[in-house]
Amino acid sequence: MISNAIRADLSALGLHADAAEETTEIATPQPEQIEDWLGLFYVLEGSSLGAKLLVKRAASLNITESNGASHLAVQAGNAANWSAFLGVLEAMQHLNEARMIHWANETFSFAHQAFETVMENNLADH
Ligand code: HEM
């Protein structure tokens, strides 16, 4: 949902726009059961909460939608998805919580590695 915005931000920041593709070096999580998807969505949708703060921090550095923070703007504007996700979570019963938490951690780990890979590949080129 935000990959185009991320590509535009990388380009605006003078980083390789195509570096986003380099995350294919990392194994993509392959969710199967409902708990796997819920753990994954927890991280993807929850990240919009922090994005609201990060939009302001970026703006204080003069980085806005037009020059590097467009993906944050999209995330911050998606607050309704988080409430909808919580509604789904509340309605679910008999979930394997440990499995859900494991998948949230897997998703965090993937995001972290994706970020590190793009940054390292860009720094290596300078
Ligand atoms: C890949 C996923 C995520 C990334 C990359 C991310 C990144 C960040 C970063 C960099 C900050 C600023 C931290 C600081 O310097 O103070 C932040 C803040 C925050 N994040 Fe996340 N986050 C993610 C997922 C989540 C999730 C799943 C939640 C909750 C369900 C969440 C909730 C928050 C909140 C509430 C803040 C603001 C904390 C404050 O007010 O000081 N984030 N996030």
Side-chain angles (χ1 to χ4, degrees), residues 37-94:
W37 286 104
L38 290 172
L40 186 141
F41 284 132
Y42 172 83
V43 174
L44 297 188
E45 296 304 342
S47 61
S48 69
L49 304 174
K52 285 189 204 309
L53 173 84
L54 295 171
V55 159
K56 289 184 199 141
R57 289 226 191 120
S60 73
L61 300 170
N62 290 323
I63 300 173
T64 62
E65 243 173 290
S66 57
N67 64 344
S70 68
H71 80 285
L72 291 175
V74 176
Q75 285 184 298
N78 264 347
N81 285 6
W82 175 247
S83 311
F85 172 74
L86 287 185
V88 170
L89 203 56
E90 295 287 335
M92 302 294 291
Q93 287 173 0
H94 310 302

